[in-house]
PDB file of all heavy atoms in Angstrom:
ATOM      1  N   TYR A 192       4.798   3.277   2.943  1.00 81.00           N
ATOM      2  CA  TYR A 192       6.091   3.943   2.857  1.00 81.00           C
ATOM      3  C   TYR A 192       6.227   5.035   3.923  1.00 81.00           C
ATOM      4  O   TYR A 192       7.300   5.228   4.486  1.00 81.00           O
ATOM      5  CB  TYR A 192       6.310   4.525   1.458  1.00 81.00           C
ATOM      6  CG  TYR A 192       6.477   3.472   0.395  1.00 81.00           C
ATOM      7  CD1 TYR A 192       5.387   3.004  -0.329  1.00 81.00           C
ATOM      8  CD2 TYR A 192       7.717   2.931   0.119  1.00 81.00           C
ATOM      9  CE1 TYR A 192       5.534   2.037  -1.307  1.00 81.00           C
ATOM     10  CE2 TYR A 192       7.877   1.947  -0.853  1.00 81.00           C
ATOM     11  CZ  TYR A 192       6.783   1.507  -1.559  1.00 81.00           C
ATOM     12  OH  TYR A 192       6.931   0.542  -2.517  1.00 81.00           O
ATOM     13  N   TYR A 215      12.418  -2.959   0.873  1.00 95.00           N
ATOM     14  CA  TYR A 215      11.374  -2.246   0.133  1.00 95.00           C
ATOM     15  C   TYR A 215      11.357  -2.669  -1.329  1.00 95.00           C
ATOM     16  O   TYR A 215      12.391  -2.929  -1.931  1.00 95.00           O
ATOM     17  CB  TYR A 215      11.556  -0.731   0.242  1.00 95.00           C
ATOM     18  CG  TYR A 215      12.843  -0.205  -0.352  1.00 95.00           C
ATOM     19  CD1 TYR A 215      12.923   0.132  -1.698  1.00 95.00           C
ATOM     20  CD2 TYR A 215      13.976  -0.035   0.432  1.00 95.00           C
ATOM     21  CE1 TYR A 215      14.091   0.624  -2.247  1.00 95.00           C
ATOM     22  CE2 TYR A 215      15.155   0.446  -0.107  1.00 95.00           C
ATOM     23  CZ  TYR A 215      15.204   0.771  -1.446  1.00 95.00           C
ATOM     24  OH  TYR A 215      16.374   1.242  -1.994  1.00 95.00           O
ATOM     25  N   PRO A 216      10.156  -2.741  -1.909  1.00 93.00           N
ATOM     26  CA  PRO A 216      10.039  -2.982  -3.351  1.00 93.00           C
ATOM     27  C   PRO A 216      10.045  -1.647  -4.089  1.00 93.00           C
ATOM     28  O   PRO A 216       9.549  -0.638  -3.579  1.00 93.00           O
ATOM     29  CB  PRO A 216       8.667  -3.648  -3.477  1.00 93.00           C
ATOM     30  CG  PRO A 216       7.877  -3.034  -2.365  1.00 93.00           C
ATOM     31  CD  PRO A 216       8.862  -2.792  -1.239  1.00 93.00           C
ATOM     32  N   VAL A 217      10.615  -1.623  -5.271  1.00 93.00           N
ATOM     33  CA  VAL A 217      10.552  -0.426  -6.111  1.00 93.00           C
ATOM     34  C   VAL A 217       9.493  -0.687  -7.175  1.00 93.00           C
ATOM     35  O   VAL A 217       9.711  -1.440  -8.111  1.00 93.00           O
ATOM     36  CB  VAL A 217      11.903  -0.099  -6.766  1.00 93.00           C
ATOM     37  CG1 VAL A 217      11.778   1.141  -7.651  1.00 93.00           C
ATOM     38  CG2 VAL A 217      12.976   0.103  -5.703  1.00 93.00           C
ATOM     39  N   VAL A 218       8.336  -0.111  -6.960  1.00 90.00           N
ATOM     40  CA  VAL A 218       7.255  -0.193  -7.937  1.00 90.00           C
ATOM     41  C   VAL A 218       7.140   1.164  -8.631  1.00 90.00           C
ATOM     42  O   VAL A 218       7.084   1.241  -9.845  1.00 90.00           O
ATOM     43  CB  VAL A 218       5.925  -0.608  -7.268  1.00 90.00           C
ATOM     44  CG1 VAL A 218       4.802  -0.661  -8.283  1.00 90.00           C
ATOM     45  CG2 VAL A 218       6.088  -1.958  -6.570  1.00 90.00           C
ATOM     46  N   LEU A 219       7.116   2.216  -7.837  1.00 89.00           N
ATOM     47  CA  LEU A 219       7.168   3.585  -8.356  1.00 89.00           C
ATOM     48  C   LEU A 219       8.339   4.296  -7.672  1.00 89.00           C
ATOM     49  O   LEU A 219       8.354   4.450  -6.447  1.00 89.00           O
ATOM     50  CB  LEU A 219       5.872   4.333  -8.066  1.00 89.00           C
ATOM     51  CG  LEU A 219       4.638   3.849  -8.824  1.00 89.00           C
ATOM     52  CD1 LEU A 219       3.390   4.552  -8.321  1.00 89.00           C
ATOM     53  CD2 LEU A 219       4.814   4.072 -10.320  1.00 89.00           C
ATOM     54  N   ARG A 220       9.305   4.723  -8.446  1.00 91.00           N
ATOM     55  CA  ARG A 220      10.519   5.349  -7.904  1.00 91.00           C
ATOM     56  C   ARG A 220      10.192   6.551  -7.031  1.00 91.00           C
ATOM     57  O   ARG A 220      10.850   6.798  -6.025  1.00 91.00           O
ATOM     58  CB  ARG A 220      11.437   5.750  -9.064  1.00 91.00           C
ATOM     59  CG  ARG A 220      12.694   6.471  -8.655  1.00 91.00           C
ATOM     60  CD  ARG A 220      13.584   5.689  -7.735  1.00 91.00           C
ATOM     61  NE  ARG A 220      14.044   4.451  -8.347  1.00 91.00           N
ATOM     62  CZ  ARG A 220      14.749   3.549  -7.686  1.00 91.00           C
ATOM     63  NH1 ARG A 220      15.059   3.726  -6.422  1.00 91.00           N
ATOM     64  NH2 ARG A 220      15.123   2.441  -8.282  1.00 91.00           N
ATOM     65  N   GLN A 221       9.169   7.294  -7.391  1.00 90.00           N
ATOM     66  CA  GLN A 221       8.818   8.492  -6.626  1.00 90.00           C
ATOM     67  C   GLN A 221       8.518   8.163  -5.162  1.00 90.00           C
ATOM     68  O   GLN A 221       8.868   8.913  -4.266  1.00 90.00           O
ATOM     69  CB  GLN A 221       7.634   9.206  -7.288  1.00 90.00           C
ATOM     70  CG  GLN A 221       7.557  10.660  -6.978  1.00 90.00           C
ATOM     71  CD  GLN A 221       8.807  11.435  -7.410  1.00 90.00           C
ATOM     72  OE1 GLN A 221       9.549  11.060  -8.307  1.00 90.00           O
ATOM     73  NE2 GLN A 221       9.048  12.532  -6.742  1.00 90.00           N
ATOM     74  N   GLN A 222       7.884   7.023  -4.907  1.00 91.00           N
ATOM     75  CA  GLN A 222       7.591   6.617  -3.530  1.00 91.00           C
ATOM     76  C   GLN A 222       8.881   6.379  -2.746  1.00 91.00           C
ATOM     77  O   GLN A 222       8.974   6.740  -1.574  1.00 91.00           O
ATOM     78  CB  GLN A 222       6.744   5.347  -3.516  1.00 91.00           C
ATOM     79  CG  GLN A 222       5.347   5.544  -4.020  1.00 91.00           C
ATOM     80  CD  GLN A 222       4.597   4.235  -4.151  1.00 91.00           C
ATOM     81  OE1 GLN A 222       5.168   3.209  -4.487  1.00 91.00           O
ATOM     82  NE2 GLN A 222       3.307   4.284  -3.875  1.00 91.00           N
ATOM     83  N   ILE A 223       9.868   5.799  -3.393  1.00 93.00           N
ATOM     84  CA  ILE A 223      11.150   5.538  -2.734  1.00 93.00           C
ATOM     85  C   ILE A 223      11.863   6.856  -2.445  1.00 93.00           C
ATOM     86  O   ILE A 223      12.412   7.050  -1.361  1.00 93.00           O
ATOM     87  CB  ILE A 223      12.035   4.611  -3.590  1.00 93.00           C
ATOM     88  CG1 ILE A 223      11.305   3.315  -3.935  1.00 93.00           C
ATOM     89  CG2 ILE A 223      13.363   4.339  -2.894  1.00 93.00           C
ATOM     90  CD1 ILE A 223      10.724   2.565  -2.763  1.00 93.00           C
ATOM     91  N   LYS A 224      11.841   7.762  -3.394  1.00 94.00           N
ATOM     92  CA  LYS A 224      12.463   9.068  -3.177  1.00 94.00           C
ATOM     93  C   LYS A 224      11.830   9.790  -1.993  1.00 94.00           C
ATOM     94  O   LYS A 224      12.536  10.376  -1.165  1.00 94.00           O
ATOM     95  CB  LYS A 224      12.347   9.935  -4.436  1.00 94.00           C
ATOM     96  CG  LYS A 224      13.258   9.487  -5.555  1.00 94.00           C
ATOM     97  CD  LYS A 224      13.100  10.382  -6.767  1.00 94.00           C
ATOM     98  CE  LYS A 224      14.016   9.953  -7.887  1.00 94.00           C
ATOM     99  NZ  LYS A 224      13.872  10.804  -9.074  1.00 94.00           N
ATOM    100  N   HIS A 225      10.519   9.723  -1.875  1.00 94.00           N
ATOM    101  CA  HIS A 225       9.822  10.363  -0.753  1.00 94.00           C
ATOM    102  C   HIS A 225      10.201   9.678   0.563  1.00 94.00           C
ATOM    103  O   HIS A 225      10.431  10.343   1.570  1.00 94.00           O
ATOM    104  CB  HIS A 225       8.306  10.313  -0.951  1.00 94.00           C
ATOM    105  CG  HIS A 225       7.804  11.279  -1.973  1.00 94.00           C
ATOM    106  ND1 HIS A 225       7.004  12.345  -1.673  1.00 94.00           N
ATOM    107  CD2 HIS A 225       7.992  11.325  -3.308  1.00 94.00           C
ATOM    108  CE1 HIS A 225       6.729  13.021  -2.769  1.00 94.00           C
ATOM    109  NE2 HIS A 225       7.321  12.411  -3.778  1.00 94.00           N
ATOM    110  N   MET A 226      10.255   8.346   0.563  1.00 95.00           N
ATOM    111  CA  MET A 226      10.606   7.618   1.775  1.00 95.00           C
ATOM    112  C   MET A 226      12.027   7.973   2.221  1.00 95.00           C
ATOM    113  O   MET A 226      12.262   8.223   3.407  1.00 95.00           O
ATOM    114  CB  MET A 226      10.494   6.107   1.545  1.00 95.00           C
ATOM    115  CG  MET A 226      10.832   5.289   2.780  1.00 95.00           C
ATOM    116  SD  MET A 226      10.726   3.507   2.499  1.00 95.00           S
ATOM    117  CE  MET A 226      12.095   3.256   1.378  1.00 95.00           C
ATOM    118  N   LEU A 227      12.961   8.044   1.285  1.00 97.00           N
ATOM    119  CA  LEU A 227      14.340   8.397   1.635  1.00 97.00           C
ATOM    120  C   LEU A 227      14.413   9.816   2.182  1.00 97.00           C
ATOM    121  O   LEU A 227      15.124  10.076   3.160  1.00 97.00           O
ATOM    122  CB  LEU A 227      15.255   8.229   0.420  1.00 97.00           C
ATOM    123  CG  LEU A 227      15.426   6.806  -0.100  1.00 97.00           C
ATOM    124  CD1 LEU A 227      16.261   6.799  -1.371  1.00 97.00           C
ATOM    125  CD2 LEU A 227      16.037   5.905   0.956  1.00 97.00           C
ATOM    126  N   ARG A 228      13.685  10.725   1.557  1.00 96.00           N
ATOM    127  CA  ARG A 228      13.658  12.109   2.036  1.00 96.00           C
ATOM    128  C   ARG A 228      13.088  12.176   3.454  1.00 96.00           C
ATOM    129  O   ARG A 228      13.620  12.854   4.326  1.00 96.00           O
ATOM    130  CB  ARG A 228      12.820  12.978   1.084  1.00 96.00           C
ATOM    131  CG  ARG A 228      12.836  14.457   1.454  1.00 96.00           C
ATOM    132  CD  ARG A 228      11.731  15.227   0.778  1.00 96.00           C
ATOM    133  NE  ARG A 228      10.449  14.765   1.292  1.00 96.00           N
ATOM    134  CZ  ARG A 228       9.380  14.477   0.554  1.00 96.00           C
ATOM    135  NH1 ARG A 228       9.415  14.618  -0.740  1.00 96.00           N
ATOM    136  NH2 ARG A 228       8.270  14.063   1.112  1.00 96.00           N
ATOM    137  N   GLN A 240      21.621   2.754   2.143  1.00 98.00           N
ATOM    138  CA  GLN A 240      20.678   2.223   1.153  1.00 98.00           C
ATOM    139  C   GLN A 240      21.425   1.232   0.260  1.00 98.00           C
ATOM    140  O   GLN A 240      22.511   1.531  -0.242  1.00 98.00           O
ATOM    141  CB  GLN A 240      20.111   3.346   0.292  1.00 98.00           C
ATOM    142  CG  GLN A 240      19.206   2.855  -0.823  1.00 98.00           C
ATOM    143  CD  GLN A 240      18.861   3.945  -1.824  1.00 98.00           C
ATOM    144  OE1 GLN A 240      19.582   4.930  -1.962  1.00 98.00           O
ATOM    145  NE2 GLN A 240      17.764   3.772  -2.526  1.00 98.00           N
ATOM    146  N   GLU A 242      20.500  -1.368  -3.044  1.00 97.00           N
ATOM    147  CA  GLU A 242      19.422  -1.671  -3.978  1.00 97.00           C
ATOM    148  C   GLU A 242      19.956  -2.436  -5.185  1.00 97.00           C
ATOM    149  O   GLU A 242      21.062  -2.181  -5.652  1.00 97.00           O
ATOM    150  CB  GLU A 242      18.781  -0.367  -4.438  1.00 97.00           C
ATOM    151  CG  GLU A 242      17.521  -0.532  -5.234  1.00 97.00           C
ATOM    152  CD  GLU A 242      16.846   0.798  -5.522  1.00 97.00           C
ATOM    153  OE1 GLU A 242      16.302   1.413  -4.592  1.00 97.00           O
ATOM    154  OE2 GLU A 242      16.880   1.213  -6.695  1.00 97.00           O
ATOM    155  N   ILE A 260      17.107  -0.667   3.416  1.00 98.00           N
ATOM    156  CA  ILE A 260      17.596   0.465   4.187  1.00 98.00           C
ATOM    157  C   ILE A 260      18.105  -0.135   5.481  1.00 98.00           C
ATOM    158  O   ILE A 260      17.385  -0.887   6.141  1.00 98.00           O
ATOM    159  CB  ILE A 260      16.473   1.483   4.501  1.00 98.00           C
ATOM    160  CG1 ILE A 260      15.890   2.070   3.219  1.00 98.00           C
ATOM    161  CG2 ILE A 260      16.973   2.564   5.445  1.00 98.00           C
ATOM    162  CD1 ILE A 260      16.830   2.936   2.433  1.00 98.00           C
TER     163      ILE A 260
END
Side-chain angles (χ1 to χ4, degrees):
Y192 292 92
Y215 63 87
V217 179
V218 179
L219 291 173
R220 177 60 61 186
Q221 204 59 25
Q222 291 173 325
I223 305 307
K224 287 180 179 180
H225 285 246
M226 181 181 68
L227 295 175
R228 185 196 66 226
Q240 176 191 23
E242 189 173 289
I260 298 293

